[in-house]
């Protein structure tokens, strides 16, 4: 089975009161690198390795090394077919994460895309339930 990973920018936040109090440029504003709705599709095959190239070869280049540092482990897990966040999100193949810029964070949805290559893989995938409920949730306790 092959896997891809889609990263979607859900939101960009800005906290001007924190910027005014703590930043060298108190009028920095929201992140200039991302906009809500942008999507990045990562693949990792013999001929194409978007992970190894940090998303720089994508049609819409992944523009921020700091954000990459925050979410790349989830992208890597998805590309390897792993459970991105078992027992936390509603679907094990998905994660909501953000960059660590505390005054203007960007919120990302990270999704594993399964691409079955054989009938057996299609059947296996059809039998799987990747969902989690409140009873399954790990809340750090």
């Amino acid at each position: 089975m092959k896997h891809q990973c889609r990263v979607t920018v859900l939101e960009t936040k800005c906290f001007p009161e924190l910027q005014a109090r703590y930043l060298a440029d108190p009028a920095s504003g929201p992140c200039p690198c991302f906009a809500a709705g942008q999507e990045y599709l990562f693949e990792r095959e013999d001929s194409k390795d978007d992970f190894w190239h940090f998303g720089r070869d994508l049609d819409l280049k992944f523009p921020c090394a700091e954000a990459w540092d925050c979410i790349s482990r989830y992208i890597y897990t998805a590309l390897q077919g792993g459970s991105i966040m078992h027992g936390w999100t509603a679907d094990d193949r998905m994660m909501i994460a953000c960059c660590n810029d505390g005054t203007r964070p960007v919120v990302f949805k990270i999704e594993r895309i399964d691409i079955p290559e054989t009938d057996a893989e299609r059947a296996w995938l059809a039998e799987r339930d990747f969902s989690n409920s409140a009873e399954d949730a790990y809340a750090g306790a």
Side-chain angles (χ1 to χ4, degrees), residues 6-134:
R6 179 182 312 123
V7 176
T8 305
V9 178
L10 294 180
E11 289 188 50
T12 59
K13 296 285 190 180
C14 184
F15 300 102
E17 67 283 0
L18 295 176
Q19 290 181 344
R21 186 170 179 185
Y22 297 109
L23 297 188
D25 178 359
S28 293
C31 176
C33 298
F34 297 101
Q38 288 176 317
E39 287 189 354
Y40 303 87
L41 183 63
F42 290 86
E43 298 177 65
R44 193 162 200 222
E45 298 179 24
D46 293 337
S47 61
K48 187 172 193 243
D49 193 338
D50 299 322
F51 182 84
W52 183 252
H53 295 119
F54 312 107
R56 289 187 220 135
D57 297 337
L58 300 175
D59 287 337
L60 180 60
K61 294 181 186 328
F62 197 85
C64 179
E66 194 66 30
W68 176 258
D69 187 49
C70 297
I71 68 171
S72 61
R73 63 184 165 164
Y74 304 119
I75 294 170
Y76 183 78
T77 299
L79 290 171
Q80 300 304 313
S83 172
I84 300 174
M85 193 49 72
H86 178 71
W88 180 249
T89 55
D91 187 317
D92 281 347
R93 299 166 294 180
M94 183 258 304
M95 174 65 182
I96 305 299
C98 68
C99 73
N100 62 10
D101 186 334
T103 71
R104 56 184 186 183
V106 176
V107 181
F108 299 97
K109 179 181 179 183
I110 304 153
E111 302 171 272
R112 183 183 89 209
I113 300 169
D114 300 320
I115 305 168
E117 299 179 276
T118 66
D119 288 339
E121 288 176 346
R122 276 185 276 288
W124 180 88
L125 196 56
E127 294 173 0
R128 294 292 158 295
D129 179 8
F130 296 103
S131 64
N132 293 304
S133 65

